[in-house]
């Protein structure tokens, strides 16, 4: 679905911040489609947890709490080492290696030209490419969801907003190319550990989500009205 794809791209490039409100009218006008089409896209993104629908508020971009961010990365640590194991153990890896090399070259070019949005997006899409090459559509959908939510958590909690370090992706790719599934798994786990470290998830406490804040304010307003 084109609308879903474009919203995911905007999140991957960090152009849509957590908590941002999105209306049916905005999307229908932007993409020149009917509201029926927009509602279908919103429903799918809501199912994936990327949009949050609330009564009297509408749809907002998800704003993962620190606990949710930790949970997201815990799932990634379960899933992504298995993905690289599958790829490193594939009997014929030449096509896989060629696609990885092409993607890493695009990352390098974006880094060289200082195209920050493209660089950040490509860094995330590296992980999606691995899932796609594993040949499992359910896995691709799951990784799209996890990567989008990770990008939003990075915006909220990371001490820096740079893309993934280039050497970490290349080391994962090297493990796959060498057929060394143990090395590929180890490098993936190390990479995800660095992502979590950059987010400082153990520090501080969660702030209320956008939806929770609105509900709290509504409760105050109702209490005030009752006093009058």
């Amino acid at each position: 679905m084109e609308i879903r794809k474009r919203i995911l791209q905007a999140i991957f490039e960090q152009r849509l911040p957590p908590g941002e409100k999105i209306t049916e009218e905005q999307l229908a006008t932007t993409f020149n489609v009917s509201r029926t089409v927009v509602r279908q896209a919103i429903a799918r993104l809501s199912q994936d947890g990327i949009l949050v629908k609330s009564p009297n508020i509408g749809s907002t971009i998800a704003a993962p709490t620190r606990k949710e961010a930790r949970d997201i990365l815990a799932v990634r640590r379960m899933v992504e080492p298995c993905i690289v194991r599958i790829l490193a153990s594939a009997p014929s890896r030449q096509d896989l290696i060629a696609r990885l090399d092409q993607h890493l070259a695009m990352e390098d070019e974006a880094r060289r030209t200082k195209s920050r949005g493209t660089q950040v997006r490509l860094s995330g899409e590296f992980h999606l490419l691995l899932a796609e090459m594993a040949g499992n559509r359910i896995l691709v959908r799951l990784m799209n969801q996890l990567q989008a939510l990770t990008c939003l958590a990075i915006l909220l909690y990371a001490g820096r907003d740079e893309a993934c370090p280039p050497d970490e992706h290349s080391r994962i790719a090297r493990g796959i190319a060498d057929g060394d599934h143990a090395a590929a798994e180890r490098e993936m786990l190390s990479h995800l550990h660095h992502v979590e470290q950059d987010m400082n998830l153990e520090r501080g406490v969660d702030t209320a989500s956008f939806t929770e804040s609105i509900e709290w304010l509504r409760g105050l307003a109702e209490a005030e009205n009752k006093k009058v």
Side-chain angles (χ1 to χ4, degrees), residues 19 52 54 62-65 68 206-216:
V52 178
S54 303
T65 64
E68 288 169 341
D206 282 320
T207 56
S209 69
F210 176 79
T211 300
E212 290 170 339
S213 298
I214 293 297
E215 292 296 333
W216 181 78

Side-chain angles (χ1 to χ4, degrees), residues 66-85 127 139 142-143 146-147 150 172 181 184-202:
R66 281 184 170 81
K67 181 185 182 306
E68 288 169 341
R70 288 193 294 269
D71 289 346
I72 290 162
L73 287 164
V75 174
R76 292 187 65 166
R77 285 193 295 271
M78 297 175 198
V79 172
E80 294 193 71
C82 293
I83 292 175
V84 295
R85 172 183 282 272
H127 296 268
L139 198 55
L142 174 63
M143 281 307 305
L146 293 172
Q147 185 60 43
T150 301
I172 293 167
H181 60 78
E185 289 180 78
R186 185 173 61 251
E187 294 297 345
M188 177 60 79
L189 284 170
S190 175
H191 176 49
L192 293 174
H193 176 68
H194 290 163
V195 171
E196 185 163 3
Q197 277 188 319
D198 287 343
M199 279 197 262
N200 300 318
L201 296 177
E202 300 303 326

Side-chain angles (χ1 to χ4, degrees), residues 29-101:
T29 301
T30 299
F31 294 100
N32 193 27
V33 295
S34 69
R35 290 203 176 191
T36 300
V37 173
V38 169
R39 289 189 194 106
Q40 291 172 349
I42 288 176
R44 173 71 181 277
L45 289 163
S46 298
Q47 288 173 0
D48 290 342
I50 295 165
L51 288 184
V52 178
K53 296 178 70 175
S54 303
N56 304 318
I57 297 173
S59 298
T60 57
I61 302 295
T65 64
R66 281 184 170 81
K67 181 185 182 306
E68 288 169 341
R70 288 193 294 269
D71 289 346
I72 290 162
L73 287 164
V75 174
R76 292 187 65 166
R77 285 193 295 271
M78 297 175 198
V79 172
E80 294 193 71
C82 293
I83 292 175
V84 295
R85 172 183 282 272
I86 290 169
L87 298 179
S89 303
S92 177
R93 297 186 301 281
Q94 292 308 310
D95 289 345
L96 304 182
I97 295 167
R99 292 181 68 184
L100 284 173
D101 286 345

